[in-house]
Amino acid sequence: MIPPKEKPTFIEEARRKQIIDAALQTIAEQGYTQTSFAEIAKGLGITKGLIAYHFDGKHDLITSAIHTILNRQGAYIKEQVEAQEDAGNKLQAYIQASFEYIAQNRAHFVALVDLWGSFTSPEEKIAFSQTAYDPCRAHLQKIFRIGLEQGEFAGFEPQGMSALVQGSIDGVMLQWVFDPQAVDLPQASRELSQMFVRRVKK
Amino acid sequence: MIPPKEKPTFIEEARRKQIIDAALQTIAEQGYTQTSFAEIAKGLGITKGLIAYHFDGKHDLITSAIHTILNRQGAYIKEQVEAQEDAGNKLQAYIQASFEYIAQNRAHFVALVDLWGSFTSPEEKIAFSQTAYDPCRAHLQKIFRIGLEQGEFAGFEPQGMSALVQGSIDGVMLQWVFDPQAVDLPQASRELSQMFVRRVKK
Amino acid sequence: MIPPKEKPTFIEEARRKQIIDAALQTIAEQGYTQTSFAEIAKGLGITKGLIAYHFDGKHDLITSAIHTILNRQGAYIKEQVEAQEDAGNKLQAYIQASFEYIAQNRAHFVALVDLWGSFTSPEEKIAFSQTAYDPCRAHLQKIFRIGLEQGEFAGFEPQGMSALVQGSIDGVMLQWVFDPQAVDLPQASRELSQMFVRRVKK
Amino acid sequence: MIPPKEKPTFIEEARRKQIIDAALQTIAEQGYTQTSFAEIAKGLGITKGLIAYHFDGKHDLITSAIHTILNRQGAYIKEQVEAQEDAGNKLQAYIQASFEYIAQNRAHFVALVDLWGSFTSPEEKIAFSQTAYDPCRAHLQKIFRIGLEQGEFAGFEPQGMSALVQGSIDGVMLQWVFDPQAVDLPQASRELSQMFVRRVKK
DNA sequence: AATGAATGAGCATTCATTCAT
DNA sequence: CATGAATGAATGCTCATTCAT
């Protein structure tokens, strides 16, 4: 009897992480369409067969890579937000942490933007959208609800506002990802957090 | 004397437009990486050789498609902005026209997002960024300068603010492009234009 | 009733000649495999459709081009040989005229060498061989027979010797065609004609 | 430290040799322009992808094939020449070995002639010319210098004479390659070696 | 006589994937 | 675990050829 799912060994996990990081770097440098298994393998000094061995096809690798990026960023933001007590400071922390993480991991976001192109069907795109945006918007809504409940915020609708905040962060980030000289990121971070904090506060 | 560039014939222009539109539709439906000459040709009932005949390679087709999208949107926004007299209304018109055009041409923007993935080198990405963003940010800056000169606006720096406004529009649009049910576009349009108009007015 | 073969009009002949010359130049410059109808047409300022109109396919154009080269060279050599009275001088004239013509029309022979590659089947290759070599060897044999009959030449077999003379000319020419600096053509011409005249004379 | 070039495995080398031989045979039979990866693969019962796997593009395959031909012939000639003691016999051995090798490997030279057509730019042609001719002419010059130093040869200039000898061999070979019935190869071999030996001897 | 739009077959090349070792 | 040989489908692109105008 073959067990259907062995728990991954240590070396297995290490390899996967190593391959994902190499993939992200290659995608950031050369673009998704130019990133083949062979290209990733070359950068690691392994063979492309080994990548196929550790991942269940290209789709699995890409999906894992995306989750890695989003999880790391999500964890960083969560940490910063939880360090703040009141809702206004939490919102400010959310926005500024988002920009901070992006600024320190530009390659990840260059890759992420490219990876959007790896989804073909509308269903995949919607699934990716939910993976990427839903946790973010849900986090923002939670902050908004805390503020509203505690009487610190007022006069807006949490769901719509979460899309606005997240969108503003992403849109500004995008310009910077494409051309770092086009946007002054710290300034944009300050301005956006001020604007939105003012907007939602009583 | 041989003229270096004959003016294109009527049928030439019609075919190019037809192929570009088909390409945009196919990209929107199936994604850039799945969009081959064969796929586009199949949808049009022509051969892929004909596409190669009318375009100087895939890069030319993609570039032409991008310019088509951006030019059409730019023209629409310009028209709406110029219909307004004072700077505040111009800014509001810019934001709302951006969303209106996107709402009516979702496929174009689904395609546009995918086409980001068609650029491989950092140089190409920066070039694309400038093609896409520079005219938009320049237009916004012009509006801001008018408002500042006429004493209608005050207390901000036009260059940074233009990146913020454009980024907020794009980021919100992006969520809607990926999943139309995730964002209430008209509400986002109103909210954003109010926020930014308030921010820049004296 | 449609007449099977109209006699070619003046403009028809002029066009064919013009196209053949352009084809030879393009082949010499860019190689046979890089020489498309479109390339030839571009150099002439006409369309590739017109080439197809005047020639019965690519094979016809190539064949015509080869005949043009060989006829021109053959006529020049014949003229030089006939200007000489005795067989030894005729042989010398043949060899030196061969080199002279080649030296003044290098592009034609660059093209000719490339055109060998246009024949696919062994039958075509043999046919080309006969077209190219038979008249030359026949001409040489005629000179040899004159010399033998008049008692000027002796001690060899005309058929084999004609292949040797023609081969020596062609082989030396070939090195010069590939790299003009590799061979001193006038010196080779003198040396070869001296060697062969001595060999066949009594 | 990563070694820049691993030594090829046994199977790798065997495949390369197999593919090169099949390529030469196909080129000889059908001509260079008709010889596609698909055609070569079909003859071997493998896929064209495998050819692309073992060779770095068509240019690499062609270059390897040419070197294979020239190296094999060069080795054979060298062996025959070195078996002779004095310069006159070395020269005779060179000429006769050249013809012998050609006679036994006609397909290789049919292919070689066709492969001239695979070079497009003048630079490539000159490079090929040097690859093909320089070692041959250098070998001949070495023989000539030995003869001159030992007082066996006299009255000629080694460089020019080497081009003449090589050219005569190639030109006669060419007629035979195109049409084996057009030339009596053994007779030509004897005649040429006699003529040149007489010419260079004191 | 000449054009240019259109075709369709063919090309080298790329690449995720499979699998015996 | 890891390799490297092998596959086969797909891709962008070229080009001689056809034909209505």
Side-chain angles (χ1 to χ4, degrees), chain D residues 75-109:
Chain D
Y76 179 78
I77 293 172
K78 197 167 191 179
E79 191 185 4
Q80 303 298 311
V81 169
E82 285 177 353
Q84 299 298 326
E85 280 294 316
D86 55 2
N89 287 340
K90 276 182 191 288
L91 178 57
Q92 182 173 328
Y94 184 96
I95 294 171
Q96 296 195 346
S98 294
F99 280 104
E100 281 161 26
Y101 189 82
I102 290 163
Q104 282 155 26
N105 298 275
R106 181 170 174 265
H108 284 188
F109 291 87

Side-chain angles (χ1 to χ4, degrees), chain D residues 9 11 15 47 49-50 53-54:
Chain D
T9 62
I11 194 163
R15 268 281 188 237
T47 61
L50 189 56
Y53 174 76
H54 285 289

Side-chain angles (χ1 to χ4, degrees), chain B residues 35-37 48-49 52 57-58:
Chain B
T35 300
S36 59
F37 277 20
K48 60 183 175 170
K58 193 176 194 181

Side-chain angles (χ1 to χ4, degrees), chain A residues 15-26:
Chain A
R15 268 281 189 235
R16 281 181 66 100
K17 188 179 177 312
Q18 182 192 31
I19 292 168
I20 285 172
D21 281 334
L24 287 174
Q25 194 183 335
T26 307

Side-chain angles (χ1 to χ4, degrees), chain D residues 177-195:
Chain D
V177 160
F178 272 94
D179 184 359
Q181 300 190 321
V183 185
D184 182 339
L185 219 52
Q187 185 204 319
S189 175
R190 280 192 306 274
E191 177 72 56
L192 268 188
S193 58
Q194 275 180 27
M195 273 184 62

Side-chain angles (χ1 to χ4, degrees), chain A residues 5-172:
Chain A
K5 198 79 183 181
E6 299 281 351
K7 75 166 186 208
T9 63
F10 171 74
I11 193 163
E12 164 80 13
E13 270 312 295
R15 268 281 189 235
R16 281 181 66 100
K17 188 179 177 312
Q18 182 192 31
I19 292 168
I20 285 172
D21 281 334
L24 287 174
Q25 194 183 335
T26 307
I27 293 166
E29 284 169 1
Q30 305 183 231
Y32 169 71
T33 54
Q34 299 300 310
T35 300
S36 60
F37 276 21
E39 203 68 29
I40 299 167
K42 202 169 66 184
L44 278 172
I46 61 173
T47 62
K48 60 181 175 174
L50 190 55
I51 300 177
Y53 175 79
H54 283 289
F55 290 88
D56 201 29
K58 195 176 193 182
H59 190 259
D60 183 27
L61 171 57
I62 295 306
T63 303
S64 303
I66 288 171
H67 284 140
T68 299
I69 297 175
L70 297 177
N71 288 340
R72 288 183 193 168
Q73 186 193 25
Y76 179 79
I77 293 172
K78 198 167 190 179
E79 191 186 3
Q80 303 299 311
V81 169
E82 286 178 351
Q84 299 297 326
E85 280 296 317
D86 55 2
N89 287 341
K90 276 180 191 290
L91 177 58
Q92 181 172 331
Y94 183 96
I95 295 172
Q96 296 196 345
S98 295
F99 279 105
E100 280 162 25
Y101 189 82
I102 291 164
Q104 282 156 27
N105 297 276
R106 183 168 174 263
H108 284 187
F109 290 87
V110 174
L112 191 61
V113 170
D114 254 74
L115 288 173
W116 289 340
S118 72
F119 301 103
T120 56
S121 68
E123 290 75 29
E124 279 181 313
K125 285 180 174 170
I126 289 177
F128 168 70
S129 163
Q130 291 172 350
T131 303
Y133 285 121
D134 278 2
C136 299
R137 288 184 298 228
H139 193 184
L140 279 166
Q141 284 181 47
K142 204 178 114 192
I143 297 172
F144 288 145
R145 292 228 167 75
I146 292 169
L148 288 168
E149 283 166 12
Q150 299 182 341
E152 191 181 344
F153 293 169
F156 65 96
E157 189 266 312
Q159 189 178 333
M161 189 57 71
S162 71
L164 238 60
V165 171
Q166 191 61 49
S168 299
I169 295 167
D170 294 341
V172 171

Side-chain angles (χ1 to χ4, degrees), chain B residues 23-161:
Chain B
L24 287 174
Q25 193 184 336
T26 308
I27 293 167
E29 284 168 4
Q30 304 184 235
Y32 168 72
T33 53
Q34 297 302 310
T35 300
S36 59
F37 277 20
E39 202 69 31
I40 298 168
K42 203 169 64 184
L44 279 173
I46 60 172
T47 61
K48 60 183 175 170
L50 189 56
I51 301 177
Y53 174 76
H54 284 289
F55 291 88
D56 207 28
K58 193 176 194 181
H59 189 258
D60 183 29
L61 171 57
I62 295 306
T63 303
S64 303
I66 289 171
H67 283 141
T68 298
I69 297 175
L70 297 177
N71 287 341
R72 288 184 193 168
Q73 187 193 25
Y76 178 78
I77 294 172
K78 197 168 190 179
E79 191 187 3
Q80 303 298 311
V81 169
E82 286 178 352
Q84 299 297 326
E85 280 295 316
D86 56 2
N89 288 341
K90 276 180 191 288
L91 178 57
Q92 180 172 329
Y94 183 96
I95 295 172
Q96 297 196 344
S98 295
F99 280 103
E100 279 161 26
Y101 189 83
I102 291 165
Q104 282 154 27
N105 298 275
R106 183 170 173 263
H108 284 187
F109 290 87
V110 175
L112 192 61
V113 171
D114 253 78
L115 287 175
W116 286 341
S118 73
F119 301 102
T120 55
S121 69
E123 290 76 28
E124 280 181 313
K125 285 181 174 171
I126 289 178
F128 168 70
S129 162
Q130 290 173 350
T131 302
Y133 284 122
D134 278 1
C136 299
R137 290 185 297 229
H139 192 183
L140 281 165
Q141 284 181 48
K142 204 178 114 191
I143 295 171
F144 289 144
R145 293 228 165 77
I146 290 169
L148 290 167
E149 282 166 14
Q150 298 183 341
E152 192 181 343
F153 294 169
F156 66 97
E157 190 264 310
Q159 191 179 332
M161 190 56 70

